[in-house]
C-alpha cells in the first residue's frame, strides 16, 4: 500500500523560508513523477513544482519560479520543496502527489488527475 507523508509546514512571516518533505512508503522504485500541489480555501488545487524521478528534470509554476526548489533524495523515495521569500499568497495546504510510472511530461503535468497517490497535506501560512 503506497503512502505519502508530508512534513515541514508552519506559520511564518513574509520573506521567510520553509522546507517541506514528502516520504513515500510501500513502493520499491518510482519511475515517474513526484509533485507538490497547493490548495487555498475556495480555490482549485494548483500544481507548483514537479520532479522526474529518473533524470531529475524539474518544472515549476510561474507563480513560484525562482523562489521554490524541488529536489529528491535518491535512492530514498523522498522529495523536498524548499520555499524561499514566502509571500502571503503562498498560504495554502500543500500536498505531495505521485505518479509511479508515467513521466512528468506524460499527460498534463499540473492536472491533479494525473497522479495516483496523494499525501494528507501540510499547512503553510504566511503572514504579512
Amino acid at each position: 500500500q503506497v503512502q505519502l507523508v508530508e512534513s515541514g509546514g508552519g506559520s511564518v512571516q513574509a520573506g521567510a523560508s520553509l522546507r517541506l518533505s514528502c516520504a513515500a512508503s510501500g513502493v520499491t522504485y518510482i519511475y515517474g513523477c513526484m509533485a507538490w500541489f497547493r490548495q487555498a480555501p475556495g480555490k482549485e488545487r494548483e500544481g507548483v513544482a514537479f520532479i522526474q524521478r529518473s533524470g531529475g528534470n524539474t518544472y515549476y509554476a510561474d507563480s513560484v519560479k525562482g523562489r521554490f526548489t524541488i529536489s529528491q533524495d535518491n535512492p530514498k523515495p523522498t522529495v523536498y520543496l524548499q520555499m524561499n521569500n514566502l509571500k502571503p499568497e503562498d498560504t495554502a495546504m500543500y500536498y505531495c502527489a505521485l505518479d509511479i510510472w508515467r513521466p512528468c511530461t506524460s499527460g498534463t503535468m499540473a492536472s491533479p488527475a494525473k497522479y495516483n497517490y496523494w499525501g494528507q497535506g501540510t499547512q503553510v501560512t504566511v503572514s504579512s
Side-chain angles (χ1 to χ4, degrees):
Q1 180 178 351
V2 178
Q3 287 190 319
L4 303 177
V5 179
E6 304 101 332
S7 60
S11 296
V12 297
Q13 297 269 332
S17 299
L18 282 174
R19 189 192 195 209
L20 307 183
S21 299
C22 171
S25 62
V27 56
T28 303
Y29 191 80
I30 299 169
Y31 296 89
C33 186
M34 292 190 78
W36 287 96
F37 282 72
R38 66 186 181 187
Q39 189 167 20
K43 294 191 176 181
E44 292 188 354
R45 193 164 292 195
E46 173 193 20
V48 297
F50 313 84
I51 188 164
Q52 179 61 41
R53 285 290 294 181
S54 57
N57 287 349
T58 58
Y59 310 87
Y60 298 93
D62 288 343
S63 56
V64 305
K65 203 172 291 184
R67 299 188 299 121
F68 290 11
T69 302
I70 188 171
S71 60
Q72 61 186 353
D73 187 353
N74 286 321
K76 294 180 183 178
T78 301
V79 292
Y80 306 96
L81 186 67
Q82 178 66 42
M83 305 185 294
N84 297 330
N85 189 23
L86 282 161
K87 303 176 180 181
E89 51 264 42
D90 294 319
T91 295
M93 186 72 78
Y94 283 71
Y95 297 91
C96 179
L98 167 63
D99 181 338
I100 292 179
W101 296 105
R102 296 174 297 177
C104 292
T105 52
S106 173
T108 304
M109 193 183 313
S111 171
K114 170 179 169 60
Y115 300 87
N116 315 98
Y117 301 98
W118 292 84
Q120 80 287 351
T122 185
Q123 178 68 36
V124 172
T125 303
V126 185
S127 57
S128 57

